[in-house]
């Protein structure tokens, strides 16, 4: 199923006029998730597509026609340039609601009866069997139709390179196969490290056989990748080390996630700074999923500490938590019911609405659990937080995220174990303590999406030139 947005790309609008020595090139982007699919995972690929054309690269997107996903966000469609070729292939996955229901079958109250243990055992066996078969992830059910669609597209339309973004890691398996068939340079873009995803993702199969299968698949991808791109320097180096273990030697490059100035076309909220006499609450906003890699427990503990020392202060605090939450994280948030903190929860909102809520905050909360590997992670929301220029309350381990924030909001940068310091920060803000403005905001320019697309285009040009 092919789609081309209504009007061909006008080369005069590209910002770069390809001449006889610089003809336009075409990239095949393999991305199961793509608008109108919503969520943080689609921001990176769609912004690459938006800005690559300025650097002489047109893009075809191989995407799922009927993606099994939790959210859709039509507002993201505005970022797809007219003339972008969308190649859609159907997946054999069940509807997302059914997948979620199956995953939560054993979360409800335990039923009694003679057949209940047998039914529970059968359900667990079916779930385990499906997880073992669907490697590296459930999106492998997209692979047969996507491979067929990708082959047909590459046969009828010349392309110069392939880029696959993951997770899901099935994207990499598919792109690796297309690379072998058509001998095009392949960039594997790791939004998250494969091994970290296997370790921390919910409902991920965690058994020895699955580990062996995942390792074999990862080895195959690494060996066929001409370049590996990751979202932090530390992750890039880690993936290159992993590739070397597999006998591969791809080029490596860090391309951070970032922010798009076009997403901030409305003025940032400039309401007067909070003070206890202002008649409003001090608002902390968190956006994104709450799960084991971004637990809110340290902030809950700090609020509880303020409750123990100065409980009346918390009537001035409002905490907005926007995004999906695991049951464990919901239980943590329920502890705040015993305090005077106002808690507002929302499971999802469109990207442009989330940006408005961020802009209306007094402080933006960034969470990263102190677990193995988290020091190499930089959450995508970090860069939009920076662009909004509201104070950031970050609870992260020592690592790349903490290092970036040290240049912008050092006063609000804490470790998960620093409950006393967190409570002191909260107390100061609730009492109206002045906030030091962000130093050197011009340093944020390196995180603009256009700049990052330029980095990708340069890498693509190098790979294509090397192959000639």
């Amino acid at each position: 199923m092919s789609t081309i947005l209504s009007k061909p790309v006008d080369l005069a609008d590209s910002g770069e006029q390809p001449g006889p020595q610089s003809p336009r090139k075409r990239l095949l982007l393999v991305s199961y998730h793509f608008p109108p699919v919503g969520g943080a995972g689609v921001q990176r690929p769609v912004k690459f597509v938006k800005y690559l054309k300025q650097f002489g690269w047109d893009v075809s997107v191989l995407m799922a026609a009927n993606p099994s996903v939790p959210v859709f966000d039509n507002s993201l469609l505005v970022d797809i340039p007219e003339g972008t070729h969308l190649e859609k292939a159907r997946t054999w996955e069940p509807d997302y609601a059914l997948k979620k229901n199956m995953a939560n079958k054993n979360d409800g109250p335990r039923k009694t009866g003679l057949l209940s243990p047998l039914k529970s055992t059968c359900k667990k066996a079916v779930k385990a069997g499906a997880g073992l078969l669907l490697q590296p992830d459930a999106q492998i059910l997209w692979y047969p139709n996507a491979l067929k669609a990708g082959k047909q597209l590459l046969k009828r339309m010349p392309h110069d390179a392939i880029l696959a973004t993951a997770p899901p890691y099935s994207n990499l398996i598919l792109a690796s196969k297309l690379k072998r068939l058509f001998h095009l340079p392949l960039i594997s873009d790791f939004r998250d490290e494969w091994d970290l995803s296997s370790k921390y993702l919910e409902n991920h199969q965690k058994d020895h056989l699955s580990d062996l299968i995942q390792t074999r698949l990862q080895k195959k991808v690494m060996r066929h990748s001409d370049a590996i791109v990751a979202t932090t320097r530390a992750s890039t180096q880690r993936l290159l080390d992993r590739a070397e273990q597999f006998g591969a030697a791809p080029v490596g490059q860090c391309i951070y996630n970032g922010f798009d100035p076009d997403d901030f076309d409305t003025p940032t909220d400039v309401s007067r700074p909070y003070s206890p006499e202002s008649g409003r609450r001090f608002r902390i906003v968190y956006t994104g999923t709450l799960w084991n890699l971004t637990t809110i427990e340290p902030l809950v503990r700090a609020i509880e500490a303020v409750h123990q020392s100065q409980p009346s202060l918390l009537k001035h605090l409002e905490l907005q938590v926007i995004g999906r939450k695991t049951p464990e994280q919901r239980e943590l948030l329920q502890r705040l019911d015993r305090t005077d903190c106002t808690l507002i929860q929302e499971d999802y909102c469109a990207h442009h609405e989330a940006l408005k809520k961020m802009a209306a905050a007094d402080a933006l909360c960034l969470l990263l659990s102190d677990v193995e590997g988290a020091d190499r992670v930089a959450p995508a929301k970090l860069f939009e937080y920076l662009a909004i220029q509201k104070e950031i309350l970050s609870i992260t381990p020592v690592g790349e995220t903490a290092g970036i924030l040290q240049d912008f909001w050092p006063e609000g940068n804490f470790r998960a174990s620093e409950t006393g310091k967190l409570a002191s920060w909260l107390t100061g803000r609730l009492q109206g303590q002045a906030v030091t403005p962000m130093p050197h905001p011009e340093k944020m320019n390196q995180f603009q999406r256009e700049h990052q697309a330029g980095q990708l285009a340069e890498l693509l040009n190098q790979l294509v030139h090397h192959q000639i």
Side-chain angles (χ1 to χ4, degrees), residues 13 55 66 80 127 135 172 205 211 239 265 344 446:
D13 295 335
F55 301 96
N66 57 326
I80 306 176
K127 183 178 175 181
Q135 299 281 2
L172 304 183
Q205 199 75 7
D211 286 344
L239 289 164
D265 53 0
I344 298 174
Q446 63 183 304

Side-chain angles (χ1 to χ4, degrees), residues 106 110-111 113-126:
N106 298 311
R110 186 177 298 277
K111 297 180 180 179
L114 293 176
L115 294 179
S116 293
L118 179 60
K119 288 181 179 179
S120 177
T121 301
C122 290
K123 289 173 183 175
K124 289 180 179 178
V126 169

Side-chain angles (χ1 to χ4, degrees), residues 92-103:
W92 294 107
E93 293 170 87
D95 181 78
Y96 181 81
L98 178 59
K99 288 198 303 186
K100 183 179 179 182
N101 186 47
M102 288 296 294

Side-chain angles (χ1 to χ4, degrees), residues 407-422:
D407 286 340
F408 297 100
W409 297 108
E411 292 181 13
N413 197 347
F414 301 98
R415 310 288 82 78
S417 60
E418 296 178 331
T419 303
K421 291 182 179 180
L422 271 165

Side-chain angles (χ1 to χ4, degrees), residues 27 50 65 79 81 227 232 234-235 249 306 323 341 373 381 404 413 419 428 441:
L27 173 70
K50 175 180 179 179
D79 280 330
T232 66
S235 276
V306 176
C341 168
K381 70 174 72 65
I404 292 171
N413 197 347
T419 303

Side-chain angles (χ1 to χ4, degrees), residues 83-98:
T84 302
H85 186 99
L86 304 179
E87 189 77 17
K88 301 177 183 180
R90 293 189 63 82
T91 178
W92 294 107
E93 293 170 87
D95 181 78
Y96 181 81
L98 178 59

